[in-house]
Amino acid sequence: MNNNLNLLLKFFSTLLIIISFNVLFSQSNTDQFTVVIDAGHGGKDPGNRGNGYYEKDISLKVALLVGDILKKSNLKIVYTRKTDKFITLNKRADIANKYQADLFVSIHCDSHTSNAFGAGTFVLGLHANERNFRIAQKENSVIYLEDDYNQKYEGFDPDNPESVISLVLMQEEYLDQSILIASMIQNNFVQKLNRKNRTVKQAGFLVLRNTYMPSVLVELGFLTNKKEGAYLNSKKGQIEMSNTIADAIIKYKNRILKGSTVLSNDIVVDNTNFNNLSLKIQIASGSKFLPLKSYNFKGLSQLTFVKSGNNYKYFFENTDNYNTAKKHLIKAKKSGFNDAVIVAFNNGKKISLDEFFKLNPD
Ligand SMILES: [Zn+2]
């Protein structure tokens, strides 16, 4: 009897160990942090050809390197492409959704007719200015190479700045986390590699529209810039850029798993004019994120926001002309924002009006 009881106890404790092992095992499996790495362009779509380089090749090399590093840190990596092939923008999002990824990172290189250089990181949003629109337009125009693009993208027109408005809603849920990882990548570019800071911005990138997870698009730099193009095309440049992206993703993962999405830096999203002075009308602020929709802001449009710590500041309009800004202020007050004020920015950093007049004497 005693023997039987012992045997029974042994049997149950073994069973318990097996069960708990299985639970642990299956948990660690499903809990594995999954990152989808999306190398921009591919196949018949070369991306930009600044200085004769191929954006599709550079983005793929960097994407594969980022994945290699992250795999060593026990993250699960899914690539949208591992070879030189054409993939539609929707398909890229489908892959990310299918794997229920925790993060989607799309990798690109920029181009410009000027000597512009520097690295920038984007989250989905309304393009608050011409420059952001142009970047998104370039990355979105690939849909012209897809069959039935009109149907697939519900009439989206890459050449129309207004066309982006319908895109924004789906990603809003993940905006805080997208901004967090974007600013971590961007800080790494600047602090570790001394890349010129083109800051975190919002614009209407189609590839970010349909993903159900925090999603960012990295513009590593400008292939059209002689020095930066050569750097990004070099092994050294690709290793350095991928190291810093992977480092940011690992830090982000650790913060998310600890449940912290609080941003430590001031002015994280900078939608103000490219290299420029701008005047905006601050109409509201608060700790809650309000989608930038007219109906949330008494019918006003041309809305942007800046997140500082846990506080959101909301702005209306954007100009570098003080008289125009005064007209915007009157419009904001007439709409019911009695406490609205004019706020000046220089390269995305808030400055006083005095400083603004010094820098912009006309
Ligand atoms: Zn691109």
Side-chain angles (χ1 to χ4, degrees):
M1 182 68 190
N2 228 341
N3 254 350
N4 272 350
L5 191 69
N6 249 336
L7 215 65
L8 206 67
L9 270 175
K10 262 193 189 149
F11 172 74
F12 275 113
S13 53
T14 315
L15 197 69
L16 206 68
I17 288 167
I18 291 172
I19 289 171
S20 51
F21 177 76
N22 268 332
V23 168
L24 278 176
F25 183 74
S26 62
Q27 262 186 359
S28 68
N29 228 2
T30 52
D31 278 358
Q32 203 178 8
F33 197 87
T34 304
V35 183
V36 170
I37 305 176
D38 175 48
H41 312 277
K44 65 182 172 185
D45 167 25
N48 90 65
R49 294 289 326 274
N51 277 309
Y53 303 121
Y54 281 88
E55 180 187 355
K56 65 174 182 177
D57 290 347
I58 295 172
S59 66
L60 179 61
K61 282 178 184 160
V62 171
L64 293 174
L65 284 168
V66 171
D68 282 348
I69 303 164
L70 293 178
K71 276 184 205 163
K72 284 182 198 143
S73 294
N74 205 23
L75 277 74
K76 183 175 170 185
I77 300 304
V78 177
Y79 298 102
T80 53
R81 68 179 179 101
K82 290 175 85 172
T83 55
D84 181 20
K85 68 174 178 193
F86 181 78
I87 303 174
T88 67
L89 294 182
N90 273 350
K91 174 82 181 160
R92 294 167 195 261
D94 289 347
I95 293 169
N97 293 334
K98 186 180 131 199
Y99 283 91
Q100 301 186 315
D102 297 285
L103 178 64
F104 179 85
V105 180
S106 189
I107 295 174
H108 290 257
C109 306
D110 211 339
S111 66
H112 201 255
T113 48
S114 73
N115 272 328
F117 64 100
T121 309
F122 288 82
V123 301
L124 187 67
L126 299 171
H127 6 253
N129 64 47
E130 182 73 11
R131 171 67 189 153
N132 291 6
F133 168 64
R134 293 279 166 230
I135 298 171
Q137 185 188 32
K138 268 183 287 180
E139 305 295 8
N140 291 337
S141 63
V142 58
I143 68 170
Y144 292 136
L145 297 175
E146 299 180 17
D147 303 326
D148 307 323
Y149 70 86
N150 221 335
Q151 219 173 325
K152 277 194 298 192
Y153 298 96
E154 295 137 31
F156 180 86
D157 174 7
D159 299 325
N160 177 5
E162 299 297 312
S163 199
V164 71
I165 290 167
S166 63
L167 298 182
V168 178
L169 214 55
M170 320 230 335
Q171 266 287 312
E172 262 165 14
E173 201 179 319
Y174 309 102
L175 189 63
D176 265 12
Q177 289 176 42
S178 299
I179 292 171
L180 177 65
I181 175 62
S183 59
M184 290 172 99
I185 291 173
Q186 196 56 32
N187 284 346
N188 264 8
F189 285 155
V190 176
Q191 284 161 15
K192 288 182 187 280
L193 296 179
N194 217 5
R195 309 309 299 168
K196 181 178 155 99
N197 190 3
R198 304 198 83 89
T199 67
V200 174
K201 292 188 170 74
Q202 288 185 288
F205 291 96
L206 263 176
V207 69
L208 304 179
R209 165 179 82 157
N210 284 333
T211 55
Y212 294 102
M213 67 214 61
S215 301
V216 295
L217 186 143
V218 176
E219 294 281 1
L220 299 170
F222 289 74
L223 300 185
T224 39
N225 178 282
K226 213 169 176 181
K227 203 173 153 199
E228 195 161 69
Y231 173 74
L232 293 174
N233 194 51
S234 73
K235 191 87 198 157
K236 176 179 180 276
Q238 289 162 8
I239 289 171
E240 286 181 355
M241 295 303 278
S242 49
N243 270 331
T244 52
I245 294 170
D247 177 78
I249 293 172
I250 291 164
K251 284 186 189 145
Y252 167 81
K253 181 205 81 169
N254 293 337
R255 271 177 82 162
I256 290 296
L257 295 183
K258 274 193 231 140
S260 163
T261 58
V262 177
L263 301 163
S264 51
N265 301 322
D266 248 19
I267 301 192
V268 177
V269 177
D270 160 26
N271 279 323
T272 50
N273 264 338
F274 182 72
N275 258 344
N276 232 332
L277 289 168
S278 73
L279 296 169
K280 290 165 176 256
I281 312 303
Q282 188 180 321
I283 49 178
S285 69
S287 59
K288 192 173 165 279
F289 175 70
L290 279 175
L292 299 180
K293 299 281 168 195
S294 294
Y295 55 73
N296 283 330
F297 295 91
K298 305 184 197 230
L300 295 180
S301 54
Q302 303 297 321
L303 301 159
T304 51
F305 75 93
V306 160
K307 190 173 186 195
S308 174
N310 270 335
N311 196 44
Y312 293 94
K313 289 193 170 90
Y314 297 93
F315 300 92
F316 161 60
E317 276 293 356
N318 185 16
T319 176
D320 59 3
N321 182 292
Y322 186 66
N323 285 326
T324 311
K326 278 200 290 194
K327 283 180 196 151
H328 293 155
L329 180 64
I330 291 166
K331 188 172 175 195
K333 291 199 171 185
K334 270 191 186 155
S335 302
F337 292 102
N338 297 321
D339 301 327
V341 285
I342 299 175
V343 177
F345 292 90
N346 183 20
N347 283 326
K349 256 193 127 62
K350 194 175 160 180
I351 56 171
S352 70
L353 281 177
D354 282 350
E355 286 171 286
F356 174 84
F357 291 125
K358 261 181 229 157
L359 292 164
N360 190 16
D362 12 290

